[in-house]
Amino acid sequence: MANVVVVGAQWGDEGKGKIVDWLSERADVIARFQGGHNAGHTLVIDGNVFKLSLLPSGILRKGKLAVIGNGVVLDPWALIDEIKRIGDMGVEINTENLMIAENTPLILPVHWQLDKLREEAAGKAKIGTTGRGIGPAYEDKVGRRTVRVADLADEATLDSRLDRLLAHHDALRRGLGEPEIDRAALKAALVEIAPQVLKYAAPVWKVLAERRKKGERILFEGAQGALLDVDYGTYPYVTSSNTLAGMAATGTGMGPGAVGFVLGIVKAYTTRVGEGPFACELFDEVGQHLATVGREKGTVTGRSRRCGWFDAVLVRQTCTTSGMKGIALTKMDVLDGLKELKICVAYELDGKTLDYLPTAADEQARVKPVYETMEGWTESTVGARRWADLPAAAIKYVRRIEELIECPVALLSTSPEREDTILVTDPFAD
């Protein structure tokens, strides 16, 4: 049986939470491998709405092990708050079903403070971060001055890490006209929260290797989307980590041989949050329909999402860079009632036709979509669980998407509810 990696194939918000939750019934371990609490997954189970940011979606399944890997940047206070909030909703979270990699870097108050200060100072050049310290935390990780989970267990190590960290941040804050960090208060806060975090700490790479040897199925859960990848996204309007499937290996310590079936989550139209190029963005009544019917508000930030037609050029590109073997197509029901649908099949730039998104930022901003028009449908697709339940025009739309992105549909989601899913190919059976 294959392990499965789930990644977003657009700019995030594709519905990964529901699909991961649905797949987690077939998995034994669900491992989150990148990002931070800037990502949000909304799951609807038996009418109850669960909003997760750090906890892997599999935490909602009894008898499963949820893992936060070293590729994640972890805000310990946000984690404990989320554990309490989800616990108050009746989900038991303990050391039997949650594990955190010992080498996971922490997000500290200095990180989100710096994040906001720099965005404010950037003015029109801001890139639209969530202000949660994700970027600065990853900077400190590669700068070798971060505090990691394991450091919380030893005061001497913690002191050394703080010395190096604050030597950098205090200089930045002085340059921005801000007071230096209160070192004593920061250390006291870390010492206070340490026991609540350390009880979940473990050598995740070793545990996952042992589970794999036993034949257990591992589901790797990504955050954000492939178009926000720091290398292959619409730079600089990206997140600060690698969001592609390859990160599943390094973000958990499993190695590339453990990555099996790569499943891309794809919305039946396109959305993005924040700044950056968006060739297919709509500003008309159709765009308003997608935003309203699709309830396009960010799970974490509450920011409105920009909406547009399906961009096959972008999805074909992300299918390639993540090595996707299949996609899960979500939010088909949002297109119900539209008489006409359009799909971007190419770009025009300076009189030339392109079948990919160029790397240069100025060219990304100037590409124009080339559309193909298809017939819409008036029937409802909400809650469909078989192909036979779908209108003929909806099936044609799905098949055309498969052709254009050169990747088959493995799953089709027709509502936020867990069971409203059509299974075409079981990723775990690969």
Side-chain angles (χ1 to χ4, degrees):
M1 292 294 182
N3 295 321
V4 176
V5 181
V6 173
V7 294
Q10 293 159 307
W11 276 295
D13 310 309
E14 302 95 346
K16 290 183 294 297
K18 173 196 168 169
I19 299 300
V20 170
D21 171 69
W22 192 86
L23 287 170
S24 65
E25 183 179 19
R26 296 160 172 77
D28 301 293
V29 181
I30 300 88
R32 170 83 179 273
F33 60 83
Q34 54 78 218
H37 64 308
N38 55 336
H41 292 164
T42 300
L43 297 90
V44 181
I45 302 172
D46 297 328
N48 297 313
V49 179
F50 297 88
K51 295 186 177 183
L52 306 178
S53 293
L54 276 168
L55 293 171
S57 300
I59 199 72
L60 302 179
R61 294 276 188 183
K62 290 184 178 180
K64 312 293 182 180
L65 174 62
V67 168
I68 296 176
N70 58 277
V72 173
V73 282
L74 180 73
D75 184 320
W77 296 277
L79 173 69
I80 299 306
D81 286 347
E82 188 171 328
I83 288 174
K84 182 181 184 305
R85 176 169 54 81
I86 298 302
D88 289 343
M89 296 180 71
V91 179
E92 184 178 358
I93 300 173
N94 52 47
T95 55
E96 296 299 314
N97 65 352
L98 178 63
M99 184 179 296
I100 303 171
E102 297 171 316
N103 53 338
T104 301
L106 300 181
I107 297 177
L108 307 180
V110 298
H111 294 125
W112 58 259
Q113 290 166 9
L114 179 62
D115 205 353
K116 292 180 178 180
L117 285 170
R118 290 199 298 209
E119 278 287 270
E120 291 171 0
K124 293 183 179 179
K126 67 179 181 178
I127 58 176
T129 76
T130 60
R132 303 206 166 202
I134 310 302
Y138 275 117
E139 289 175 40
D140 283 342
K141 175 182 177 178
V142 298
R144 294 165 293 180
R145 53 181 172 263
T146 192
V147 177
R148 304 197 294 181
V149 169
D151 300 332
L152 297 176
D154 180 70
E155 186 173 355
T157 301
L158 180 59
D159 280 330
S160 176
R161 296 285 188 269
L162 288 176
D163 287 344
R164 183 171 172 80
L165 180 78
L166 297 190
H168 176 77
H169 279 269
D170 282 341
L172 289 176
R173 292 172 69 92
R174 287 193 297 269
L176 291 166
E178 295 293 319
E180 295 183 355
I181 300 296
D182 185 336
R183 187 188 190 284
L186 176 57
K187 180 181 176 182
L190 286 169
V191 169
E192 180 183 14
I193 204 166
Q196 300 177 66
V197 177
L198 285 171
K199 66 181 181 180
Y200 299 109
V204 158
W205 65 271
K206 185 174 185 296
V207 173
L208 292 181
E210 291 170 350
R211 293 291 188 108
R212 186 185 179 207
K213 286 179 182 178
K214 292 179 181 178
E216 294 189 11
R217 295 170 169 177
I218 302 171
L219 179 61
F220 298 95
E221 176 182 7
Q224 288 95 29
L227 294 170
L228 294 175
D229 184 89
V230 71
D231 288 311
Y232 288 95
T234 47
Y235 190 90
Y237 304 101
V238 294
T239 193
S240 297
S241 62
N242 287 111
T243 60
L244 302 183
M247 186 63 188
T250 54
T252 60
M254 284 293 287
V259 177
F261 191 102
V262 179
L263 179 69
I265 314 302
V266 180
K267 196 176 287 187
Y269 49 100
T270 311
T271 64
R272 81 171 297 175
V273 173
E275 310 296 326
F278 185 176
C280 295
E281 186 171 8
L282 296 172
F283 302 95
D284 57 10
E285 64 276 7
V286 175
Q288 186 59 47
H289 169 94
L290 298 176
T292 302
V293 178
R295 298 178 182 179
E296 295 298 349
K297 294 279 188 179
T299 300
V300 171
T301 64
R303 292 186 293 181
S304 296
R305 298 178 186 135
R306 301 154 62 189
C307 299
W309 293 119
F310 186 85
D311 192 329
V313 180
L314 289 181
V315 177
R316 182 171 61 245
Q317 190 164 322
T318 58
C319 284
T320 299
T321 53
S322 268
M324 295 175 193
K325 294 185 177 181
I327 66 165
L329 193 63
T330 66
K331 289 204 165 185
M332 277 285 293
D333 53 296
V334 177
L335 302 180
D336 293 354
L338 294 176
K339 295 181 180 180
E340 185 178 88
L341 304 175
K342 293 183 179 181
I343 300 176
C344 176
V345 297
Y347 297 135
E348 284 187 358
L349 178 66
D350 300 333
K352 297 179 180 179
T353 299
L354 299 179
D355 62 355
Y356 69 99
L357 183 69
T359 299
D362 69 306
E363 293 182 346
Q364 290 182 351
R366 291 190 294 112
V367 296
K368 303 297 181 183
V370 177
Y371 286 122
E372 178 178 295
T373 302
M374 296 190 68
E375 180 185 359
W377 56 88
T378 56
E379 306 96 318
S380 173
T381 62
V382 177
R385 299 183 181 181
R386 302 176 304 157
W387 281 110
D389 297 332
L390 295 174
I395 295 175
K396 288 181 181 178
Y397 183 73
V398 174
R399 295 307 185 201
R400 184 56 179 150
I401 284 176
E402 289 181 313
E403 292 174 358
L404 290 169
I405 67 173
E406 300 173 1
C407 190
V409 169
L411 296 165
L412 188 65
S413 171
T414 56
S415 94
E417 286 287 348
R418 174 187 276 173
E419 299 306 323
D420 290 341
T421 305
I422 299 173
L423 176 63
V424 181
T425 301
D426 185 354
F428 283 113
D430 182 58

